[in-house]
Amino acid sequence: AQSVTQLGSHVSVSEGALVLLRCNYSSSVPPYLFWYVQYPNQGLQLLLKYTSAATLVKGINGFEAEFKKSETSFHLTKPSAHMSDAAEYFCAVSDRGGTSYGKLTFGQGTILTVHP
Amino acid sequence: GAVVSQHPSRVICKSGTSVKIECRSLDFQATTMFWYRQFPKQSLMLMATSNEGSKATYEQGVEKDKFLINHASLTLSTLTVTSAHPEDSSFYICSARSRGTSEPYEQYFGPGTRLTVT
């Protein structure tokens, strides 16, 4: 079964600083990979996804993520944090086939705090 | 486009009663809907997958007789928590997969329902 690990349950940055949220997956076959954002008491919004081809994926709100097969990682970055980026971020994976095809498995989540 | 709504957004019920949560795809037809629960400060855990017109498929450890799922139309799925207990208090989130999508992993999420059982 797929699993995904997010390193760091809390990340705190200053406004304007680089944001780096870490995600590692465990699979012998590279899965589909996603980053979602969740604001308090709201559902999830898709930031970006990796399905094939380009390993550097650009998403909404200035976020991007790079798929590194050798490191089984899909870290999320943003060059300059904004106060509105404060939220919880989830990394998720989905198998490319098999019985779990199309199902999402989520990481534990990382709460991003942005300081003025 | 691709908006999913949930009703109610918050509900408080007494222990032993049942509560129904609705999940609607507002501007698309959803052949598949997913139900997740999220405990405070934890990740989303998939509870079940429902396909329109057929029985839901529950994940291991989820009691199907306690969490009744109905997906009677292409725009509506309901989750009924029967004989609710305080440990059922959680944030329940649904998501929907569009009938027209060629990407099976693509899901649109609802805003969630906060259930509190007293």
Side-chain angles (χ1 to χ4, degrees), chain B residues 33-50:
Chain B
M33 288 185 171
F34 302 88
W35 287 94
Y36 298 84
R37 67 185 298 182
Q38 183 181 28
F39 290 106
K41 302 187 185 302
Q42 294 189 32
S43 187
L44 283 76
M45 298 298 294
L46 179 64
M47 298 174 65
T49 303
S50 74

Side-chain angles (χ1 to χ4, degrees), chain B residues 14-110:
Chain B
K14 292 187 176 180
S15 185
T17 62
S18 296
V19 60
K20 180 184 288 187
I21 302 170
E22 293 185 348
C23 176
R24 292 180 185 273
S25 56
L26 299 185
D27 51 1
F28 66 99
Q29 293 182 323
T31 49
T32 303
M33 288 185 171
F34 302 88
W35 287 94
Y36 298 84
R37 67 185 298 182
Q38 183 181 28
F39 290 106
K41 302 187 185 302
Q42 294 189 32
S43 187
L44 283 76
M45 298 298 294
L46 179 64
M47 298 174 65
T49 303
S50 74
N51 293 296
E52 186 265 338
S54 61
K55 290 184 178 181
T57 303
Y58 291 80
E59 295 299 304
Q60 191 172 7
V62 178
E63 299 176 60
K64 61 181 181 181
D65 293 332
K66 180 169 185 62
F67 298 100
L68 301 179
I69 292 172
N70 183 279
H71 192 163
S73 78
L74 285 171
T75 59
L76 174 64
S77 176
T78 60
L79 167 68
T80 301
V81 182
T82 62
S83 186
H85 290 284
E87 57 265 30
D88 298 324
S89 298
S90 188
F91 194 51
Y92 291 87
I93 301 175
C94 74
S95 68
R97 179 189 297 158
S98 172
R99 182 182 194 181
T101 185
S102 60
E103 300 173 330
Y105 50 78
E106 191 170 75
Q107 301 176 26
Y108 301 99
F109 286 82

Side-chain angles (χ1 to χ4, degrees), chain A residues 20-37:
Chain A
L20 170 61
L21 305 182
R22 300 176 187 274
C23 172
N24 289 86
Y25 66 91
S26 65
S27 173
S28 56
V29 178
Y32 297 127
L33 293 153
F34 311 84
W35 275 100
Y36 287 87
V37 61

Side-chain angles (χ1 to χ4, degrees), chain A residues 38 41 43 51 101-103 106-107, chain B residues 38 43 59 104-105 110-111 114:
Chain A
Q38 184 182 32
N41 294 311
T51 55
Y101 189 38
K103 292 184 179 180
F106 289 88
Chain B
Q38 183 181 28
S43 187
E59 295 299 304
Y105 50 78
R114 174 76 61 193

